[in-house]
Amino acid sequence: PSSCLSVVVFSPRYHGMISREEADQLLSLAEGSYLIRESQRQPGTYTLALRFGNQTRNFRLYYDGKHFVGEKRFESIHDLVTDGLITLYIETKAAEYIAKMTINPIYEHIGYTTLNCEPALKKLSIQELPDGREPAGEEGGPEERLTSLVRRATLKETDRAPKYEKVHNFKVHTFRGPHWCEYCANFMWGLIAQGVKCADCGLNVHKQCSKMVPNDCKPDLKHVKKVYSCDLTTLVKAHNSKRPMVVDMCIREIESRGLKSEGLYRVSGFSELIEDVKLAFDRDGEKADISVNVYEDINIITGALKLYFRDLPIPLITYDAYPRFIEAAKLTDPEERLEALHEALKLLPPAHCETLRYLMAHLKRVTQNEKDNLMNAENLGIVFGPTVMRAPDLDAMTALNDIRYQRQVVETLIKNEDILF
């Protein structure tokens, strides 16, 4: 980004190519005064000289359609200076206070967390029901009674102690009118970009406080606008479900009328109708109609399910876990491979692992109808390998070589889903 000569030169505050000393002398008469000068050392670059605290401060001034000296961008230099003076005043007069803001946060006692969870949750073991009820004698309970937190606790027990955690999706935000941080309860100062807002749950905090907020985002449906291309954990938390409704609904439909269909998952459905299913889920969510009355060809439903996994911003087998799965597939000893895959599964976020478990159990049922559908674990591995796992920033040749290992991963998961999950 560079300074825009015409914008700066025609500003009444532009003083041409003057020295730092001359700028200091011109500004010494009034606190908060400012001017713009062209650099003598680097002609063509511009400096904002600002008087604050009885000294002149110099900032390199940039322009890319908006004016800026740091992260924030402004329509006018006047707004930039106004925001800068506010920030300098707060940071100078309240530096010690700002440093202590995050030490005793109110976050756990009021507002966001009070509305969404009970502090006692932290003390409960995974077998206990987190809403204060006595544990039921039998396994689980009516699904409609379960909160999202109970769903976390009722996942199949493994040594992973599953917990549906989600990091906040903070974005720099300009607040209209006075706003207070929901982490430390202090005022959010500045003219624009006073803090950050979670795009998924709406939590408002200072940028420095955002680093301290726990990974307890509870997405609000009004912020989650779509189903496809939405982060998997965000989607299940927003809908208070164990797995994405796309996965549950498509698999139910496939198992009710398509398990014996020849070439299931290998045969492609009509792409425009698959896109229709995607739009239906994005528009109607769990009310989307994917029944035989609307989509007679089961390959449209299998195509929609595969598209959902391909569209995930973070693959079902995440980028972080990907290398461990590939390493496991390269092992020749079957027992060592199973052990390595078991360890790799622990690296997946709980919502991803639960969805993968459900998918693999379904694909195993598909293979049990191989006599009719001609689809075995190897064939399904070829289809689903690159669908549920993608190489993270690897060169083309390495990614190409990984395809066979991706197939082996899925094939092994299908054949051993009862052992591995």
Side-chain angles (χ1 to χ4, degrees), residues 113-174:
T113 43
T114 304
L115 294 173
N116 287 283
C117 68
E118 288 74 39
L121 279 178
K122 296 175 182 175
K123 299 174 184 176
L124 294 177
S125 68
I126 188 170
Q127 291 83 7
E128 294 175 304
L129 294 175
D131 61 355
R133 293 195 300 265
E134 289 294 317
E138 66 274 4
E139 219 176 296
E143 191 167 82
E144 60 271 17
R145 286 193 359 241
L146 301 180
T147 65
S148 61
L149 292 170
V150 176
R151 289 178 191 278
R152 294 180 195 173
T154 54
L155 290 180
K156 188 175 179 181
E157 284 186 42
T158 70
D159 51 359
R160 287 180 294 107
K163 183 183 177 186
Y164 278 30
E165 284 193 346
K166 179 185 168 341
V167 297
H168 289 272
N169 182 17
F170 286 120
K171 308 282 186 188
V172 173
H173 190 77
T174 294

Side-chain angles (χ1 to χ4, degrees), residues 51-192:
R51 191 72 176 181
F52 180 82
N54 295 320
Q55 58 179 317
T56 301
R57 305 188 182 212
N58 294 278
F59 305 91
R60 176 69 63 84
L61 183 63
Y62 297 97
Y63 183 83
D64 63 355
K66 291 187 176 182
H67 304 277
F68 63 101
V69 297
E71 289 182 0
K72 296 185 182 182
R73 283 162 166 72
F74 300 83
E75 296 290 347
S76 70
I77 291 173
H78 177 78
D79 285 351
L80 187 157
V81 170
T82 302
D83 184 85
L85 288 170
I86 293 169
T87 303
L88 284 169
Y89 184 86
I90 295 288
E91 291 181 352
T92 302
K93 302 296 183 181
E96 188 177 341
Y97 182 75
I98 292 170
K100 292 178 179 177
M101 279 196 322
T102 58
I103 295 174
N104 294 307
I106 52 96
Y107 185 73
E108 294 184 0
H109 307 294
I110 69 168
Y112 178 76
T113 43
T114 304
L115 294 173
N116 287 283
C117 68
E118 288 74 39
L121 279 178
K122 296 175 182 175
K123 299 174 184 176
L124 294 177
S125 68
I126 188 170
Q127 291 83 7
E128 294 175 304
L129 294 175
D131 61 355
R133 293 195 300 265
E134 289 294 317
E138 66 274 4
E139 219 176 296
E143 191 167 82
E144 60 271 17
R145 286 193 359 241
L146 301 180
T147 65
S148 61
L149 292 170
V150 176
R151 289 178 191 278
R152 294 180 195 173
T154 54
L155 290 180
K156 188 175 179 181
E157 284 186 42
T158 70
D159 51 359
R160 287 180 294 107
K163 183 183 177 186
Y164 278 30
E165 284 193 346
K166 179 185 168 341
V167 297
H168 289 272
N169 182 17
F170 286 120
K171 308 282 186 188
V172 173
H173 190 77
T174 294
F175 298 95
R176 304 298 175 194
H179 262 74
W180 281 261
C181 174
E182 292 176 65
Y183 182 79
C184 70
N186 290 287
F187 184 67
M188 299 170 81
W189 60 87
L191 196 63
I192 68 165

Side-chain angles (χ1 to χ4, degrees), residues 151 154-156 164 236 240-244 351 354-355 357:
R151 289 178 191 278
T154 54
L155 290 180
K156 188 175 179 181
Y164 278 30
V236 298
N240 285 336
S241 60
K242 227 174 171 181
R243 296 172 296 273
E354 166 60 18
T355 304
R357 179 200 68 76

Side-chain angles (χ1 to χ4, degrees), residues 21 46 62 66 75 130 190 194 199 218 243 249 251 274 279 281 284 300 322 337 350 366 381 397 406:
E21 290 73 21
Y46 299 88
Y62 297 97
K66 291 187 176 182
E75 296 290 347
Q194 303 95 331
K218 295 171 182 62
R243 296 172 296 273
M249 289 174 65
I251 286 177
I274 291 172
L279 293 173
F281 275 115
D284 304 324
I300 294 165
Y322 181 91
R337 181 185 294 180
V366 172
M397 188 56 70
Q406 292 171 357

Side-chain angles (χ1 to χ4, degrees), residues 257 273 289-297 300:
R257 61 183 171 101
L273 291 177
D289 186 356
I290 58 171
S291 68
V292 67
N293 299 327
V294 184
Y295 302 104
E296 187 178 350
D297 182 5
I300 294 165

Side-chain angles (χ1 to χ4, degrees), residues 198-211:
C198 178
D200 296 332
C201 72
L203 183 69
N204 306 317
V205 295
H206 290 112
K207 187 177 179 182
Q208 60 267 46
C209 289
S210 69
K211 298 167 187 173

Side-chain angles (χ1 to χ4, degrees), residues 243 247 251 255 265 305 309 316 353-366 384 387-388 410 414 417:
R243 296 172 296 273
V247 177
I251 286 177
E255 295 198 352
Y265 286 113
L305 180 60
F309 288 121
L316 187 58
C353 194
E354 166 60 18
T355 304
L356 183 62
R357 179 200 68 76
Y358 190 72
L359 176 65
M360 293 302 113
H362 161 65
L363 294 180
K364 190 163 190 175
R365 289 190 288 275
V366 172
F384 277 93
T387 302
V388 299
V410 174
I414 294 170
E417 62 86 20

